[in-house]
Amino acid sequence: MSDSRAEDEAAIKAVLVDSYKAWEAGDADGMVANYTVDATAIMTGSLRDSREVIRQSMALGFEGPLKGSSTYNKQLSIRFVGRDGAIVVSESAILFAGETEVPDQRKVNATWVLEKRDGRWLIAAYHNSPVLAPGH
């Protein structure tokens, strides 16, 4: 891997960590700060078709069922698509307030699509699907 790819990989990981930290803080604005304006998110069968729609959805969640929650995230891979695109695959889950471990049945496989715009990596799309068999 070239130095620039190592730098890109570190920058991508930092974007994701910032998003996870904002989730833990219940900060919907911070959570989408590194999303493109036209970002999409597909979660639980619903399409959120802009950064603002994603932000609104998360703000409602943080006021209600996601209050006090955090996330479990295990990065499985990063692969680059051209110079300005990357796909991250992870195993993720929501840790609800008071939980220290996530039951396997709540884990999801997640795909993050990131795009480098004006020298900055941003989340362009996110999708998750339940893990049917852990590790498969």
Side-chain angles (χ1 to χ4, degrees):
M1 180 176 354
S2 70
D3 288 341
S4 65
R5 293 281 90 164
E7 289 171 12
D8 285 336
E9 190 169 320
I12 288 166
K13 287 178 180 179
V15 164
L16 296 176
V17 166
D18 285 350
S19 181
Y20 306 148
K21 285 180 181 176
W23 179 304
E24 189 168 349
D27 177 6
D29 292 328
M31 203 193 122
V32 299
N34 292 318
Y35 280 62
T36 62
V37 172
D38 59 347
T40 57
I42 298 174
M43 298 176 287
T44 322
S46 67
L47 170 64
R48 294 163 177 104
D49 60 359
S50 72
R51 177 176 60 202
E52 180 56 21
V53 171
I54 297 165
R55 188 200 66 73
Q56 290 172 4
S57 173
M58 295 310 301
L60 287 172
F62 293 148
E63 291 171 6
L66 300 178
K67 188 173 187 145
S69 67
S70 62
T71 60
Y72 154 82
N73 297 283
K74 178 182 173 186
Q75 182 184 310
L76 302 177
S77 66
I78 293 180
R79 97 176 166 267
F80 291 96
V81 182
R83 292 174 23 141
D84 298 326
I87 299 170
V88 178
V89 176
S90 63
E91 180 181 85
S92 302
I94 298 170
L95 282 159
F96 291 100
E99 289 184 328
T100 57
E101 291 186 34
V102 178
D104 284 340
Q105 66 268 25
R106 282 210 330 257
K107 291 181 180 175
V108 297
N109 289 315
T111 303
W112 305 80
V113 178
L114 289 94
E115 179 181 4
K116 195 173 192 180
R117 292 187 183 177
D118 299 321
R120 186 172 161 224
W121 284 99
L122 299 170
I123 298 166
Y126 172 83
H127 177 261
N128 72 42
S129 179
V131 172
L132 296 179
H136 290 93

